[in-house]
Amino acid sequence: MEAARRRQHPGAAGGPGAQLGASFLQARHGSVSADEAARTAPFHLDLWFYFTLQNWVLDFGRPIAMIDSFELLYYYDEYLGHCMWYIPFFLILFMYFSGCFTASKAERWMPGPALLLVVPSGLYYWYLVTEGQIFILFIFTFFAMLALVLHQKRKRLFLDSNGLFLFSSFTLTLLLVALWVAWLWNDPVLRKKYPGVIYVPEPWAFYTLHVSSRH
């Protein structure tokens, strides 16, 4: 009877069938782990570094090189640029952000270089928001990102390292804008220059009125 049972169930007593089954299960679990590892997105340090550096060079260096003979270019940048550049820019960032979610716990942190890069990235967005006068567009994008984070959290999906970097940069930007507005809240000259409901002075206006005028 015992021999019959062994013939019917060759893996029950630790024979070759059991070893083959264990090898199959081990290989199967190994392939799943490999698939999960393949789906894990690393932090794109080179992408974010060059992206931040390029934005600083192009946007911060442009007003320095601006002279009176480029009035048409200045008009294009100030008025048409809001529709042709800022709206698609933030839309693309949000679309990228919507894909930065993972169920892996190992991906819910940022490496050391990413933490260091958050500061210049947040400073750049602060300059973009204040100098470009696009606070409404920025705050709308920020709250859309926050709503998406809360929605995905209910599905047990969390931001990966790239999403954390972008969201941390936007959070730092919002904090810097709030500090900037609070610092210049009682400035009488800038209050006359920006009489609207949303008071976000431009850095170059502050520099022109309070720094360069003293020299």
Side-chain angles (χ1 to χ4, degrees):
M1 295 296 292
E2 183 67 24
R5 283 198 301 268
R6 290 184 179 179
R7 285 195 297 269
Q8 292 177 0
H9 303 284
Q19 297 176 1
L20 180 62
S23 300
F24 173 76
L25 290 176
Q26 184 178 3
R28 183 175 182 274
H29 287 301
S31 63
V32 171
S33 301
D35 292 339
E36 290 179 353
R39 290 196 298 267
T40 300
F43 179 73
H44 304 297
L45 177 62
D46 54 346
L47 171 67
W48 290 115
F49 175 77
Y50 287 116
F51 179 75
T52 305
L53 180 62
Q54 172 183 292
N55 288 332
W56 269 112
V57 171
L58 292 179
D59 284 333
F60 188 74
R62 181 174 49 195
I64 298 177
M66 188 70 66
I67 57 177
D68 294 336
S69 60
F70 289 97
E71 292 182 0
L72 181 61
L73 181 61
Y74 178 79
Y75 173 84
Y76 168 82
D77 180 69
E78 284 292 309
Y79 298 99
L80 299 181
H82 282 71
C83 298
M84 299 182 64
W85 163 244
Y86 292 126
I87 295 177
F89 176 74
F90 280 96
L91 180 61
I92 292 173
L93 282 180
F94 181 77
M95 292 173 62
Y96 175 84
F97 180 79
S98 65
C100 295
F101 289 88
T102 179
S104 174
K105 295 182 179 180
E107 278 295 297
R108 289 171 3 205
W109 61 280
M110 285 191 299
L115 294 174
L116 297 177
L117 198 57
V118 165
V119 176
S121 178
L123 283 172
Y124 165 72
Y125 290 123
W126 164 82
Y127 175 77
L128 191 69
V129 170
T130 53
E131 188 66 27
Q133 294 293 285
I134 54 170
F135 179 76
I136 295 179
L137 179 61
F138 165 77
I139 200 66
F140 178 81
T141 306
F142 177 80
F143 280 117
M145 293 166 63
L146 180 60
L148 183 61
V149 169
L150 297 177
H151 175 72
Q152 295 290 69
K153 187 177 181 180
R154 298 171 63 180
K155 300 180 181 180
R156 296 190 177 276
L157 295 175
F158 304 91
L159 288 173
D160 62 8
S161 56
N162 296 283
L164 281 173
F165 172 78
L166 189 56
F167 191 74
S168 300
S169 299
F170 270 53
T171 303
L172 178 59
T173 301
L174 184 61
L175 177 62
L176 292 175
V177 171
L179 293 175
W180 174 256
V181 172
W183 181 44
L184 300 174
W185 186 258
N186 296 320
D187 191 292
V189 180
L190 292 175
R191 272 292 182 177
K192 292 180 180 179
K193 185 175 177 61
Y194 303 95
V197 178
I198 300 178
Y199 173 68
V200 182
E202 298 173 89
W204 280 102
F206 171 80
Y207 175 81
T208 303
L209 295 173
H210 296 290
V211 180
S212 63
S213 61
R214 297 179 180 178
H215 298 287

